[in-house]
Amino acid sequence: MKNIAVLCSGFGSNLQAIINSVKKGKIKAKISLVASDRIDAYALVRARRAGIPILYAAPFEFKKREDYDNFIARNLKERKIDLVVLAGYMRLLSAGFVRQFKNKILNIHPSLLPSFKGTNGIKDALDYGAKLTGVTVHLVDEALDHGPIILQGAVNIKEKDTEETLAERIHKLEHRLYPQAIRLFAEGKLVVKGRKVLVKK
Ligand code: GRF
């Protein structure tokens, strides 16, 4: 069974969806660690409630981003983590970290990549006047919101949408897609060929 670590900085609704899917037996893997760069992340409360070990490391205690990432990487290696899941993790991972876990880091982004990269994916799509946006689950490489795409789902933007109403539908879709992608990974069904991720039947 695969060992998963989830890295979060905030509310942790995606973490919760993953915890629920593991509990229901839909994802056959173990969440062995939830790590956060913020002590006030509600995700840590969710992890504690679910009995998952947590790791909080304060970025200001490390000189460089690389030092911080190495500390996290060491912890993940010690726990024999097979898959690193970024769920609202607000730090860009250093190249060294990404290399150590090549094709073993997943991220979820609230837009149809490569459109609307960055921290405001939902608002940016709305402000741009897009009619369609969505959710992307992808492998993490060294560039921001860039790695090979595993799954995408679309959400229509309605004329009356506000950032809040649109975000609500996007998050709902995220909570379906992320566990699905993690299940595929855990079952060894993802084959990476360059930028393409093939899903084995
Ligand atoms: C999600 O919208 C995700 O797409 C983005 O950060 C948000 C995290 O939300 N990367 P939560 O902490 O899982 O509730």
Side-chain angles (χ1 to χ4, degrees):
M1 191 146 70
K2 299 254 193 254
N3 274 324
I4 300 178
V6 187
L7 273 48
C8 305
S9 301
F11 188 51
S13 67
N14 281 284
L15 168 67
Q16 192 64 57
I18 299 161
I19 291 173
N20 296 347
S21 291
V22 169
K23 266 195 194 148
K24 284 184 197 153
K26 289 186 184 167
I27 299 174
K28 290 182 185 52
K30 184 177 172 204
I31 307 174
S32 303
L33 186 71
V34 169
S36 180
D37 60 326
R38 298 196 48 153
I39 188 78
D40 58 348
Y42 189 65
L44 292 176
V45 175
R46 298 179 191 271
R48 214 173 279 131
R49 269 193 206 142
I52 301 165
I54 61 177
L55 171 69
Y56 161 65
F60 60 79
E61 285 177 13
F62 296 80
K63 262 207 192 119
K64 291 185 291 176
R65 188 153 60 94
E66 285 75 12
D67 297 340
Y68 184 88
D69 284 1
N70 281 335
F71 174 78
I72 301 287
R74 262 203 316 280
N75 270 276
L76 302 183
K77 291 256 151 97
E78 272 165 22
R79 288 167 195 267
K80 303 205 179 333
I81 295 298
D82 306 292
L83 172 64
V84 182
V85 173
L86 308 185
Y89 189 59
M90 299 311 284
R91 293 172 65 81
L92 187 63
L93 293 173
S94 52
F97 186 100
V98 173
R99 265 198 306 274
Q100 288 188 64
F101 293 93
K102 190 172 162 51
N103 289 344
K104 291 180 180 168
I105 311 171
L106 303 189
N107 184 41
I108 189 158
H109 183 76
S111 78
L112 291 173
L113 290 175
S115 291
F116 310 115
K117 295 179 179 182
T119 48
N120 294 312
I122 300 174
K123 184 174 187 297
D124 290 348
L126 190 63
D127 290 351
Y128 194 81
K131 304 287 186 193
L132 196 66
T133 184
V135 172
T136 303
V137 180
H138 65 96
L139 290 164
V140 171
D141 66 7
E142 286 158 29
L144 179 71
D145 299 330
H146 175 267
I149 292 170
I150 298 170
L151 292 176
Q152 286 186 306
V155 171
N156 284 310
I157 299 180
K158 300 175 187 165
E159 284 182 3
K160 282 189 185 155
D161 263 330
T162 61
E163 195 183 336
E164 288 68 35
T165 58
L166 179 58
E168 204 176 300
R169 296 203 301 290
I170 290 204
H171 292 316
K172 234 185 189 166
L173 181 58
E174 287 187 335
H175 301 157
R176 270 201 302 118
L177 280 194
Y178 219 0
Q180 200 182 326
I182 295 167
R183 179 174 59 77
L184 292 171
F185 184 99
E187 291 174 1
K189 289 197 171 149
L190 301 178
V191 183
V192 186
K193 290 208 164 144
R195 266 217 63 87
K196 301 210 173 133
V197 180
L198 313 178
V199 180
K200 285 200 255 174
K201 295 285 169 226

